Amino acid sequence: MKKSILIYVFFCLVIQVVNGRIYTGRCDTSKNKIYWELDTETGNATISGKGKLPFINMFDGYIFDEALLPFIKHLSIEKGITYLAEGSFNIYPNLESITIPSSVKIINHSIFSGCSKLVSVSLPPNLKEIEFMAFSGCSSLRSITIPGSVKKIHETAFSDCINLRSISVDPSNSVYDSRHGCNAIIETGSNSLIIGCISTNIPDDVERIGNRAFSGCSSLKSITIPGSVKEIGSGAFCVCSDLTSVILPESLEKIGNEAFSGCSSLRSITIPSSVKEIGEFIFAYSDGLTNVTVMCKNVPTLHTPFFRGVKNIKRNCVFQVPSDCFSQYKSTPFWKDLNISSF
């Protein structure tokens, strides 16, 4: 015997309960007929139909009834669904796996963000784009494979995936690669590493570490940047809270804004002589830093102070500079305000 319950929000869900464990419903819009089914015993959920999954937000409710969200563990979206609206499945508390059909071409922004138990994602072979923060904060996600069809990946697509260990790109991809088994996504044309993880080995032909490439890799403990790299992008290592060792190459010319912000375990770092420009607040909130050795004999351009939000850091952190240009540092804006000594 079936029991129907009508729930009114800004769109309509008609929920039917079968045998006390299987729930079915319809996410109805004027153009599309999209249905869902959930087995609360197994946690298996499916979404089927044709067309676009509608935009849903905190004011409109959820695709599934909110009371059912904790039961959803395995989500399968069937072929026929062509579009997943932004934020559709974010913060599903127990979601462990997702299967996305080949009919979906774009993983929209924030769609699975905050799904902290998500372990497995199957990306479709015809996928073209992964937008910003699509999987941000999926802290249980351990591996991801980028299909050959993907042409655009936002730099924050996998930010704060703190346990991500394996990243691979299908060899047929013409825009991105994961050369030499590096466990990273590299933009082939620019030789820029755009997304890394705690297991990344940066190849020695990469020329740039992209903006927020390692952002939120809180378990990353050490990183060696090869001699081919000329630039570290903004926020590249921000909130890598366990990072204790950073080796920067003599090829490096520019360090972007807040590149090492929130690296609270970092105690010392050496800035090589090749660096010409340092962005804004590169050590913001890195309150454990006590020693910075600056090898540059030509004082690098500094746009703002190194620090922000760190009490007494100017007094506690010593900047060591070459003795023969000590006076230049002491007379240069922002540098002169630091606790500088010479070697």
Side-chain angles (χ1 to χ4, degrees):
M1 181 177 180
K2 295 183 178 181
K3 177 182 177 184
S4 295
I5 306 169
L6 189 63
I7 297 180
Y8 289 97
V9 285
F10 288 91
F11 65 96
C12 187
L13 288 172
V14 179
I15 299 177
Q16 293 182 323
V17 186
V18 183
N19 297 327
R21 55 173 270 194
I22 298 176
Y23 290 72
T24 62
R26 175 178 171 181
C27 187
D28 201 356
T29 71
S30 59
K31 295 182 179 180
N32 305 311
K33 292 183 179 180
I34 298 176
Y35 302 87
W36 58 264
E37 181 176 303
L38 169 66
D39 186 330
T40 57
E41 187 172 294
T42 64
N44 294 331
T46 59
I47 295 176
S48 60
K50 293 183 178 181
K52 297 182 178 182
L53 196 66
F55 175 75
I56 296 171
N57 58 40
M58 62 182 293
F59 302 105
D60 297 337
Y62 295 89
I63 295 169
F64 298 86
D65 177 47
E66 186 174 2
L68 298 177
L69 298 188
F71 293 98
I72 300 171
K73 294 182 179 180
H74 311 289
L75 176 62
S76 177
I77 302 167
E78 296 186 354
K79 191 172 182 180
I81 305 298
T82 59
Y83 181 85
L84 307 176
E86 58 268 26
S88 295
F89 306 101
N90 63 352
I91 320 181
Y92 274 40
N94 294 311
L95 184 62
E96 297 176 5
S97 67
I98 309 160
T99 300
I100 302 168
S102 59
S103 50
V104 171
K105 303 298 190 291
I106 298 174
I107 304 296
N108 233 313
H109 75 77
S110 306
I111 192 167
F112 299 110
S113 65
C115 292
S116 60
K117 293 188 178 181
L118 184 63
V119 175
S120 174
V121 178
S122 177
L123 298 179
N126 295 326
L127 188 66
K128 300 297 183 186
E129 183 176 347
I130 306 174
E131 292 195 348
F132 68 91
M133 298 183 69
F135 296 94
S136 175
C138 293
S139 54
S140 296
L141 188 64
R142 291 183 174 270
S143 65
I144 194 74
T145 298
I146 305 299
S149 55
V150 173
K151 304 302 180 187
K152 184 179 180 181
I153 304 173
H154 194 273
E155 62 195 24
T156 64
F158 298 95
S159 63
D160 300 311
C161 292
I162 61 175
N163 286 302
L164 188 60
R165 296 174 183 274
S166 174
I167 301 174
S168 62
V169 179
D170 189 283
S172 66
N173 196 298
S174 61
V175 178
Y176 302 103
D177 67 80
S178 53
R179 64 192 68 166
H180 314 310
C182 63
N183 283 314
I185 300 173
I186 297 170
E187 188 177 65
T188 306
S190 64
N191 280 322
S192 296
L193 190 154
I194 65 164
I195 295 174
C197 67
I198 59 177
S199 301
T200 294
N201 290 312
I202 304 173
D204 58 10
D205 51 0
V206 165
E207 296 180 8
R208 184 177 187 272
I209 308 299
N211 298 342
R212 304 185 66 83
F214 292 86
S215 172
C217 290
S218 57
S219 299
L220 183 68
K221 296 185 183 300
S222 65
I223 194 76
T224 298
I225 299 175
S228 54
V229 172
K230 297 178 181 179
E231 180 181 351
I232 296 175
S234 297
F237 296 94
C238 69
V239 200
C240 291
S241 55
D242 285 352
L243 187 63
T244 59
S245 174
V246 178
I247 298 177
L248 303 178
E250 282 296 333
S251 58
L252 188 64
E253 297 178 359
K254 182 179 179 181
I255 303 174
N257 300 341
E258 301 194 17
F260 297 96
S261 64
C263 294
S264 54
S265 297
L266 190 63
R267 299 292 180 262
S268 64
I269 191 169
T270 297
I271 297 175
S273 60
S274 54
V275 171
K276 300 175 182 178
E277 183 179 355
I278 297 174
E280 299 177 2
F281 305 111
I282 68 164
F283 299 126
Y285 309 106
S286 296
D287 51 1
L289 197 62
T290 58
N291 185 275
V292 178
T293 300
V294 183
M295 303 300 294
C296 312
K297 293 194 173 182
N298 295 316
V299 181
T301 300
L302 189 61
H303 296 289
T304 66
F306 278 93
F307 305 105
R308 179 170 61 186
V310 183
K311 294 180 179 179
N312 299 321
I313 192 67
K314 287 182 182 179
R315 177 170 53 83
N316 294 334
C317 185
V318 177
F319 283 74
Q320 299 185 43
V321 302
S323 58
D324 54 355
C325 51
F326 177 81
S327 60
Q328 296 175 37
Y329 279 92
K330 289 300 290 182
S331 61
T332 302
F334 299 119
W335 289 98
K336 66 181 181 180
D337 301 322
L338 299 169
N339 182 5
I340 295 179
S341 66
S342 62
F343 62 87

